[in-house]
Amino acid sequence: MKKEITYNFLWERAIELQIVDIARFLEKTYSVEQHYNFQVRELNEYKEALYTNYTDIKDSLKQDFFFMGTKQNPDDSLIDIHKISACFCKSMMEHKVFRFKLMESIPVPVLLCNYCAAFSVSLGIMYLNLLAEYKKEGKIDQYNRLKEQQHFCFPSTNTGHDSYPYGRIKALALNDIYGRDFDLLGYADMMYWIEEYNKNKLNEQALNRTAGS
């Protein structure tokens, strides 16, 4: 029951919102329904399919990397939020929520929409978890600042290069298109460093405000 409550929370706050926002943006910007037969999977059905696949991926991850051959039940141990977000990313890439007609002139954002959704959802899960951590630890300054941001920040890239998130989305797409296996642990590590980057920025801002008061 607790897992169902947690998933319902994540679905409402981090998953469904991202799906709806991306679909609205694409329709407003590119009229995707008319030009590319753009469709969103029925969300109640997708919600169940996504969770079932996520659970299979998570249990497989535990079995393959953390039980070391011992006969343990996958429910007997927990994995951290970075690996959870990676499992959701992989699940969304395996069960794509958007469908559209491939055409030679299709805009790149439409082509990348499923990968954008997978990346954005995994970040959203991380974001909600960090908010909860700050609230639990009583770090009100960091909590308020992060809530005001409404999303994670990213390091700058060199002039002429893709932004950090756009580069990661393109990497997801290229690996998937060329049939390369999704690196769960590598992706989880990337999520960890994105979180650390934001923690450091928020802590620095909190210290600066304290020093200036």
Side-chain angles (χ1 to χ4, degrees):
M1 180 62 70
K2 184 178 179 181
K3 291 181 180 179
E4 292 177 2
I5 293 172
T6 300
Y7 180 59
N8 286 335
F9 175 80
L10 293 178
W11 173 263
E12 293 173 2
R13 302 290 184 90
I15 304 173
E16 185 178 25
L17 282 177
Q18 292 290 349
I19 292 169
V20 171
D21 284 349
I22 291 170
R24 284 175 177 167
F25 169 79
L26 293 176
E27 179 58 28
K28 181 178 179 181
T29 308
Y30 301 104
S31 301
V32 287
E33 291 182 22
Q34 176 185 351
H35 296 304
Y36 307 104
N37 192 26
F38 184 87
Q39 299 173 21
V40 183
R41 290 179 59 176
E42 201 282 317
L43 289 182
N44 287 328
E45 174 224 84
Y46 184 73
K47 178 182 179 182
E48 294 184 15
L50 181 67
Y51 186 69
T52 299
N53 195 47
Y54 157 77
T55 301
D56 290 343
I57 292 169
K58 179 189 67 175
D59 290 346
S60 178
L61 175 69
K62 290 180 179 181
Q63 191 67 47
D64 292 344
F65 292 99
F66 299 105
F67 291 163
M68 305 299 290
T70 60
K71 294 182 179 179
Q72 290 178 270
N73 187 315
D75 289 333
D76 290 341
S77 64
L78 300 176
I79 59 175
D80 60 43
I81 192 63
H82 315 104
K83 296 180 184 68
I84 288 172
S85 71
C87 288
F88 270 108
C89 183
K90 179 176 171 64
S91 185
M92 290 195 71
M93 289 174 60
E94 292 181 354
H95 288 263
K96 294 177 174 59
V97 67
F98 302 127
R99 296 166 176 164
F100 49 86
K101 183 178 180 180
L102 276 175
M103 300 171 63
E104 186 175 345
S105 61
I106 193 167
V108 172
V110 181
L111 188 64
L112 297 180
C113 62
N114 280 300
Y115 307 102
C116 179
F119 183 69
S120 299
V121 164
S122 60
L123 286 174
I125 291 168
M126 296 283 301
Y127 171 84
L128 290 173
N129 182 76
L130 186 55
L131 270 180
E133 279 189 11
Y134 281 146
K135 188 172 184 178
K136 182 178 180 180
E137 295 169 2
K139 296 182 177 179
I140 303 305
D141 193 89
Q142 290 93 327
Y143 173 86
N144 288 337
R145 182 71 178 182
L146 183 60
K147 191 173 182 180
E148 182 182 322
Q149 284 180 192
Q150 299 183 349
H151 54 74
F152 279 142
C153 295
F154 302 96
S156 300
T157 54
N158 293 334
T159 303
H161 290 260
D162 291 329
S163 68
Y164 185 91
Y166 193 49
R168 304 288 67 74
I169 291 166
K170 286 171 70 174
L172 287 175
L174 288 170
N175 284 328
D176 188 46
I177 290 168
Y178 285 103
R180 299 177 185 131
D181 290 338
F182 181 84
D183 184 356
L184 265 171
L185 296 182
Y187 191 90
D189 188 60
M190 180 180 71
M191 291 288 103
Y192 168 81
W193 287 111
I194 290 173
E195 182 185 56
E196 282 299 299
Y197 177 80
N198 280 269
K199 281 183 176 179
N200 289 336
K201 283 181 67 70
L202 291 163
N203 289 340
E204 183 179 342
Q205 290 164 356
L207 287 172
N208 289 340
R209 276 190 289 275
T210 300
S213 60

